[in-house]
Amino acid sequence: FLLRHTGNDKDFLTTRVSYSFNLTGPSISVQTACSTSLVAIHLAVQSLLNGECDMALAGGITIELPHRRGYTYEEGEILSNDGHCRAFDHKSMGTIFGSGTGIVVLRRLSDAINDGDTIHAIIKATAINNDGSMKVGYLAPSVDGQAQAIVEALTIADVNPETVTYIETH
């Protein structure tokens, strides 16, 4: 019973991986709905900056069971009425769910350069927030809240907004 529970429950994923691969340092399970992976990356970056670790694995995973089950659209709910997700678009009518995983390995830039690591991207800053009830509804992020997080990250990174070509949000 013990392994059945600890081997399958989402709350044990990070500590089980840390145990299995002898990883030390912070091992944190995060659940923030749509922003889980980005919040995990933010926390990993903070751990690197604070010297809590020299390398961090961050990401997210979700498995919808049963697979390809579909859904019945209901007015006022979170699910899209046409099966498409159009975040921040005027045609947005909801979201869709699916299965997937994504993990990134993060290191301080100076350490990666010194060790000759392949560098695919550089994170200059991260920021997270929550806009409370100042949004159109519980299930939707607010424009102001997203903008505030972006301004915070740009300020921390000391980056001119006109030089930014891609932003990952929500």
Side-chain angles (χ1 to χ4, degrees):
F1 172 76
L2 182 61
L3 185 57
R4 188 173 19 162
H5 178 76
T6 61
N8 291 306
D9 188 283
K10 67 183 177 355
D11 296 332
F12 295 93
L13 176 64
T14 59
T15 52
R16 181 139 177 109
V17 168
S18 294
Y19 173 78
S20 297
F21 291 101
N22 192 28
L23 303 175
T24 59
S27 188
I28 304 168
S29 294
V30 177
Q31 180 49 263
T32 63
C34 297
S35 60
T36 297
S37 296
L38 291 174
V39 171
I41 290 170
H42 172 80
L43 294 173
V45 166
Q46 296 305 308
S47 289
L48 286 163
L49 292 174
N50 291 331
E52 297 171 337
C53 61
D54 294 322
M55 179 185 299
L57 304 176
I61 182 169
T62 188
I63 301 172
E64 287 287 312
L65 295 173
H67 295 296
R68 297 183 183 96
R69 69 173 182 230
Y71 61 87
T72 302
Y73 170 76
E74 291 186 36
E75 186 71 35
E77 291 291 328
I78 191 173
L79 297 172
S80 170
N81 66 349
D82 65 0
H84 295 279
C85 184
R86 297 178 184 88
F88 304 110
D89 188 283
H90 73 283
K91 296 179 191 173
S92 179
M93 296 299 294
T95 192
I96 56 173
F97 294 101
S99 298
T101 187
I103 304 290
V104 293
V105 177
L106 303 174
R107 297 191 68 201
R108 286 180 291 275
L109 181 58
S110 58
D111 294 342
I113 290 170
N114 288 340
D115 290 345
D117 293 347
T118 299
I119 300 170
H120 295 283
I122 298 171
I123 298 174
K124 292 189 174 189
T126 63
I128 59 174
N129 70 359
N130 189 296
D131 30 32
S133 61
M134 302 304 294
K135 50 190 176 180
V136 70
Y138 167 67
L139 300 172
S142 76
V143 172
D144 289 342
Q146 295 288 301
Q148 288 169 4
I150 292 167
V151 167
E152 181 180 346
L154 289 171
T155 301
I156 294 167
D158 193 26
V159 169
N160 180 337
E162 295 174 8
T163 65
V164 176
T165 58
Y166 179 81
I167 297 173
E168 181 68 38
T169 64
H170 185 61

